[in-house]
Amino acid sequence: MRWKRAAARALLVFSLLLAGSAGARAGEPLGDPDGRGPITLVTGGDLTGYLRGVLAGWNDRHPREKVTLVELPDAADEVRAQMVTELRSRSARFDVLNIDVAWTSEFAAAGWIKPVDGGRFPLKRFLPPVVDTATFRGRLYAVPYVTNAGLLYYRKDVLDREGARPPRTWAELAQLAKTVAPKYGLDGYAGQFLPYEGLTANVVEAVQSAGGSVLAGEGTRVTVDSPAARRGLSFLLDGVREGWIPRRALAYKEEESRRSFQDGHLLFLRNWPYAYALAGGPSSKVAGKFGAVPLPGPDGPGASALGGSNLAVNAHSRHPETAAELISYLTSEPVQRRVLTEGALPPVWADLYTDPRLVRRFPYLPTLKRAVLTARPRLKSPRYDQVSLAVQAVMHDALVHRLSTDATVARLERELRAIVSRG
């Protein structure tokens, strides 16, 4: 009989464990009543490996609330897909999510991430535009962790020979790209024009630099059919049509465009700050021969699409208090310094951009700060993924087939209105 009672107890324990596992998958709060305990941080691939060292510092001081790092593939689309699969199933597998700034509104609208108490974080020490990327309908749903803004890289040696300064307007850029680049066997200008997330950033930058917008009202209104937005789209469409944007650039992502510039094939390149160190590295053909300035616009400096990532707490985390404290740790000044020096990523703390020691090591910091301060969020929409895919498809087709601005705007407005109306 004893073995039967033991078997019954074992069956009961197994049943409880199974129920607990199912509850965790359903997002039931099975953790400690105070919301503390071990947690998991999920992120896209950490290319420099700095994050494990940062988290080791946390784990040394929090032996009962250790954090486990889960790295997903590098591609943003795949990162989002895997996160969404877990979140839609109400899974508690991930406690803290390192999400692209453009996903905050979508994740908040879906109820996948919890609102956070802004008073727990040093938001006033951050670069002001980055905080807006973490809000949805007036509430803070995440905390800025890393920022980013596009820069214009240029061949300083070539412009110096021509007695020309870096372009401040689109007209100056186009003129130099059409006249100077061919003299040196160079392509004029390239960004990221393959149909993926990078193309969305390039399109939104052009529209915003002209004073327009693609969407407004938290993604509830389509505003792409305006004189300003048309002017922004024409900048890219005319560039391909006139040839100073080479057709090969329509297959460029970040790395293809960086390598083209680094190998000495481009006069101008739009890319993120990470390209600065690589273009100045020992294997680069343009090391010591290039510079970087804020993106130009129609009549002066333009407005970059604000990049970077935010940290959010899974709405079904079993240990949300520990999750919030981890975010506080990762957004503290000492860790933000390591984000830059070890991770080669732009931090969100404003003071770091004027630190003399950091500026000596990363001379592009003052330029990047100006770019971030004038940047604007890429797109804010609860249906961001669908909106971005529509922008990519319409614009790439227009660039490939050299469509008119009128035809491009008409198709883009039609597809965006269909998405918004479904919301």
Side-chain angles (χ1 to χ4, degrees):
M1 294 298 293
R2 280 184 295 181
W3 71 266
K4 290 184 178 179
R5 287 196 296 271
R9 285 197 298 269
L11 181 60
L12 176 62
V13 170
F14 178 76
S15 299
L16 290 173
L17 289 173
L18 187 62
S21 175
R25 286 193 298 271
E28 296 176 2
L30 300 178
D32 293 342
D34 59 359
R36 310 192 72 89
I39 57 174
T40 299
L41 167 66
V42 62
T43 183
D46 176 14
L47 299 180
T48 64
Y50 85 99
L51 195 49
R52 292 189 180 277
V54 167
L55 296 180
W58 165 276
N59 287 339
D60 288 343
R61 293 192 289 274
H62 301 81
R64 295 185 179 181
E65 300 174 90
K66 288 190 174 183
V67 57
T68 299
L69 177 65
V70 174
E71 291 187 62
L72 301 179
D74 297 336
D77 293 345
E78 182 61 25
V79 171
R80 180 191 170 280
Q82 292 196 34
M83 286 186 182
V84 168
T85 297
E86 294 289 335
L87 295 169
R88 278 180 174 158
S89 67
R90 301 167 64 86
S91 168
R93 178 187 174 196
F94 303 139
D95 297 279
V96 178
L97 303 102
N98 188 18
I99 60 175
D100 188 292
V101 294
W103 304 342
T104 304
S105 294
E106 177 188 8
F107 283 27
W112 296 334
I113 55 178
K114 294 169 61 72
V116 295
D117 177 8
R120 300 183 62 162
F121 310 100
L123 301 180
K124 292 183 179 179
R125 307 297 300 272
F126 295 174
L127 293 164
V130 305
V131 179
D132 185 47
T133 69
T135 65
F136 178 65
R137 292 178 180 166
R139 298 189 69 182
L140 190 71
Y141 277 87
V143 183
Y145 176 56
V146 169
T147 190
N148 230 341
L151 300 175
L152 181 71
Y153 294 85
Y154 65 96
R155 286 288 299 274
K156 185 177 185 301
D157 58 333
V158 172
L159 294 190
D160 285 347
R161 286 183 210 169
E162 295 293 317
R165 65 180 186 179
R168 289 176 51 84
T169 68
W170 287 341
E172 292 174 357
L173 186 151
Q175 181 65 18
L176 292 168
K178 284 189 285 190
T179 60
V180 172
K183 290 174 59 176
Y184 295 85
L186 302 174
D187 288 333
Y189 171 81
Q192 295 73 49
F193 303 130
L194 191 73
Y196 79 114
E197 190 60 31
L199 178 56
T200 300
N202 279 250
V203 170
V204 171
E205 279 177 346
V207 171
Q208 291 178 168
S209 293
S213 61
V214 176
L215 295 175
E218 298 281 5
T220 60
R221 289 186 290 112
V222 178
T223 54
V224 72
D225 189 2
S226 71
R230 287 171 174 270
R231 190 178 186 187
L233 296 176
S234 294
F235 166 68
L236 299 176
L237 295 167
D238 292 347
V240 173
R241 193 178 300 112
E242 296 170 5
W244 50 270
I245 295 178
R247 291 191 67 81
R248 63 174 62 92
L250 303 186
Y252 284 176
K253 294 192 290 186
E254 279 89 354
E255 280 296 272
E256 290 84 356
S257 62
R258 176 188 65 81
R259 284 194 292 267
S260 181
F261 183 79
Q262 190 172 311
D263 290 342
H265 302 311
L266 273 172
L267 180 59
F268 298 113
L269 167 69
R270 178 265 176 226
N271 211 324
W272 304 102
Y274 88 98
Y276 195 100
L278 295 172
S283 63
S284 172
K285 294 182 180 179
V286 299
K289 302 177 182 178
F290 73 94
V293 294
L295 295 173
D299 304 305
S304 171
L306 198 59
S309 68
N310 296 330
L311 297 171
V313 178
N314 182 351
H316 298 287
S317 169
R318 287 169 287 165
H319 299 133
E321 184 64 23
T322 300
E325 287 196 10
L326 176 68
I327 293 176
S328 183
Y329 168 74
L330 291 173
T331 55
S332 66
E333 195 271 353
V335 173
Q336 283 288 295
R337 189 176 291 268
R338 294 177 68 178
V339 165
L340 174 63
T341 59
E342 299 175 23
L345 298 169
V348 296
W349 273 66
D351 291 348
L352 298 180
Y353 288 79
T354 54
D355 184 306
R357 289 175 299 176
L358 294 177
V359 172
R360 282 195 295 271
R361 183 173 171 184
F362 305 96
Y364 61 85
L365 285 179
T367 297
L368 177 56
K369 182 180 181 181
R370 293 198 303 273
V372 172
L373 290 176
T374 58
R376 293 165 55 188
R378 205 174 316 160
L379 289 168
K380 297 187 75 171
S381 170
R383 296 178 176 269
Y384 179 83
D385 187 49
Q386 297 174 45
V387 169
S388 181
L389 289 173
V391 170
Q392 296 165 31
V394 172
M395 279 302 298
H396 191 261
D397 187 61
L399 292 169
V400 168
H401 296 100
R402 302 182 182 183
L403 301 182
S404 69
T405 301
D406 287 345
T408 303
V409 169
R411 182 181 168 194
L412 190 54
E413 183 179 24
R414 183 170 62 251
E415 298 207 11
L416 292 177
R417 285 190 181 279
I419 295 170
V420 169
S421 68
R422 291 198 296 269

